[in-house]
Amino acid sequence: MSCDRRHNLPIFLHPAAVSRHATAGHWAIDLPNAANEKFVADFRAAYKRDPSFYAAQGYNAANFINSVVVAVKGDLTDKERIRAAMERADYASVRGPCRYAS
């Protein structure tokens, strides 16, 4: 493994390389969309640390559930309306625009 002599770090950990990383995960802290930027900023302000993948999943799940409850105006007895609202996935995901395949 080669190292960058200025920082004594392996090349893949060099600060310039880290800012351009790719991930196989479903979410990354630097995804460039408004919902993610707000989530990361709010999380850092509240907890004084970076959010984890699990925090992003929980945030998305809560926003998804909230969007469904709002769409059916709190009436959780109408399963067809709930299903339709879930299929729309009408919320600002930290992962960017999403839709469910049928």
Side-chain angles (χ1 to χ4, degrees), residues 54-98:
Y54 300 105
Q57 281 185 313
Y59 184 83
N60 257 1
N63 281 316
F64 174 65
I65 292 167
N66 182 66
S67 74
V68 172
V69 173
V70 168
V72 299
K73 297 180 174 51
D75 179 6
L76 302 179
T77 62
D78 188 341
K79 290 182 173 64
E80 289 305 314
R81 285 184 58 216
I82 291 169
R83 185 176 295 115
M86 291 174 77
E87 288 172 352
R88 282 192 299 276
D90 187 19
Y91 69 102
S93 169
V94 296
R95 293 172 44 192
C98 68

Side-chain angles (χ1 to χ4, degrees), residues 23-77:
T23 180
H26 298 274
W27 172 80
I29 199 166
D30 59 351
L31 287 174
N33 69 67
N36 191 55
E37 290 164 0
K38 180 181 181 338
F39 162 67
V40 172
D42 289 351
F43 191 98
R44 285 175 172 161
Y47 301 104
K48 311 299 184 238
R49 65 179 178 85
D50 286 344
S52 68
F53 167 77
Y54 300 105
Q57 281 185 313
Y59 184 83
N60 257 1
N63 281 316
F64 174 65
I65 292 167
N66 182 66
S67 74
V68 172
V69 173
V70 168
V72 299
K73 297 180 174 51
D75 179 6
L76 302 179
T77 62

Side-chain angles (χ1 to χ4, degrees), residues 11-22:
I11 292 298
F12 66 89
L13 290 178
H14 186 278
V18 171
S19 67
R20 294 185 311 270
H21 76 282

